[in-house]
């Protein structure tokens, strides 16, 4: 069966520090991968999505970047965090070219202080 | 546009039925989804409906689709405290690379009163 792992669950980082959040998917090949941010427990903002290794689409210009070094690994990074980067970050995957919906990870609560 | 709209809050008494409404804009959407997010957790797929269906029932959940009005609703019968969560409506939209993107509503927070 397919599973998605996202870590860490919570993170407190000072302003100006770097960030690396990791997401891995097991039990499937060539998934579509997504990074979302959710502010204050509300709506979802799509940050990045990837349809294959090294293929990243950015939806919103910001202080963040994403990479997909392996088929089932998706990394969200920042060189210097801002206070406004605080939020709940969610990774998700879907089966390529299907309408089966997305499966989400458990999320990372990031607080920038 | 690509807006999916939901009211932000719904308050119901325990044991009553909850009805969460959603409107979408893309008439070509083939699937529509309801996701549930409990506090501090990721989203879980609750149910979905194919666009050629009017209704889908799964235990306490009933999904109604009015394709003419582009209106989707989720009814939860006998609402329990464990149903407290944010419920997201989403429609699928085919992108240029033949993949499907989900367009999300802002989520409806269901509050259960004792």
């Amino acid at each position: 069966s397919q599973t998605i792992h996202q870590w860490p669950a919570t993170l407190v980082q000072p302003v100006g520090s770097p960030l690396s959040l990791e997401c891995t998917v097991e039990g499937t090949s060539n998934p579509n991968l997504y990074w979302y941010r959710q502010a204050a427990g509300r709506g979802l903002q799509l940050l990045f999505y990837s349809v294959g290794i090294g293929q990243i689409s950015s939806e919103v210009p910001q202080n963040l970047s994403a990479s997909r070094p392996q088929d089932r690994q998706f990394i969200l990074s920042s060189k210097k965090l801002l206070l406004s980067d605080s939020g709940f970050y969610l990774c998700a995957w879907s089966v390529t070219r299907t309408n089966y919906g997305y499966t989400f990870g458990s999320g990372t609560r990031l607080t920038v202080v | 546009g690509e807006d999916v709209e939901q009211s932000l809050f719904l308050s119901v008494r325990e044991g009553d039925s909850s009805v969460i409404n959603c409107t979408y804009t893309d008439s070509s959407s083939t699937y529509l989804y309801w996701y549930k997010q409990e506090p501090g957790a990721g989203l879980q797929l609750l149910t979905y409906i194919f666009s050629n269906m009017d209704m889908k029932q799964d235990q306490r959940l009933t999904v109604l689709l009015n394709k003419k009005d582009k209106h989707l609703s989720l009814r939860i019968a006998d609402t329990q405290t464990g149903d407290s969560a944010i419920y997201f409506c989403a429609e699928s939209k085919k992108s240029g690379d033949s993949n499907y993107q989900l367009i999300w509503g802002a989520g409806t927070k269901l509050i259960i009163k004792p």
Side-chain angles (χ1 to χ4, degrees), chain B residues 24-100:
Chain B
Y24 61 98
T25 57
D26 190 349
S27 58
S28 66
S29 292
T30 51
Y31 281 89
L32 296 128
Y33 308 83
W34 284 105
Y35 280 78
K36 178 183 181 182
Q37 184 184 31
E38 296 184 357
L43 278 70
Q44 292 178 301
L45 179 62
L46 204 56
T47 188
Y48 64 91
I49 189 167
F50 189 51
S51 59
N52 69 353
M53 299 169 65
D54 298 324
M55 183 180 85
K56 180 179 180 182
Q57 188 151 6
D58 182 5
Q59 298 182 345
R60 291 192 297 120
L61 304 178
T62 304
V63 179
L64 295 177
L65 176 61
N66 181 329
K67 201 173 177 183
K68 174 176 169 290
D69 295 337
K70 299 192 188 74
H71 183 267
L72 182 73
S73 67
L74 173 70
R75 179 178 180 268
I76 305 172
D78 187 25
T79 307
Q80 303 298 308
T81 54
D83 296 323
S84 293
I86 299 175
Y87 291 83
F88 289 91
C89 170
E91 62 172 340
S92 67
K93 188 176 177 68
K94 199 166 186 179
S95 56
D97 55 4
S98 297
N99 276 297
Y100 290 89

Side-chain angles (χ1 to χ4, degrees), chain A residues 32 34 36 38 41-44 46 49 51 88 90 94-107 109, chain B residues 8-9 30-31 33 35 37 40-43 45 86 88 92 95 97-102 104-109:
Chain A
N32 292 336
Y34 309 86
Y36 281 89
Q38 187 179 29
R42 297 310 305 167
L44 300 171
L46 178 63
Y49 75 93
V51 299
F88 192 52
L90 289 157
S94 67
V95 180
T96 300
R97 296 197 175 95
T98 67
N99 251 324
Y100 299 161
Y102 296 176
T103 301
F104 283 83
S106 53
R109 171 75 57 195
Chain B
L8 294 184
F9 297 95
T30 51
Y31 281 89
Y33 308 83
Y35 280 78
Q37 184 184 31
L43 278 70
L45 179 62
I86 299 175
F88 289 91
S92 67
S95 56
D97 55 4
S98 297
N99 276 297
Y100 290 89
Q101 298 271 357
L102 293 195
W104 298 90
T108 299
K109 186 169 186 177

Side-chain angles (χ1 to χ4, degrees), chain A residues 6-11 88 106-110:
Chain A
Q6 191 180 338
W7 69 93
T10 59
L11 193 57
F88 192 52
S106 53
T108 296
R109 171 75 57 195
L110 172 65

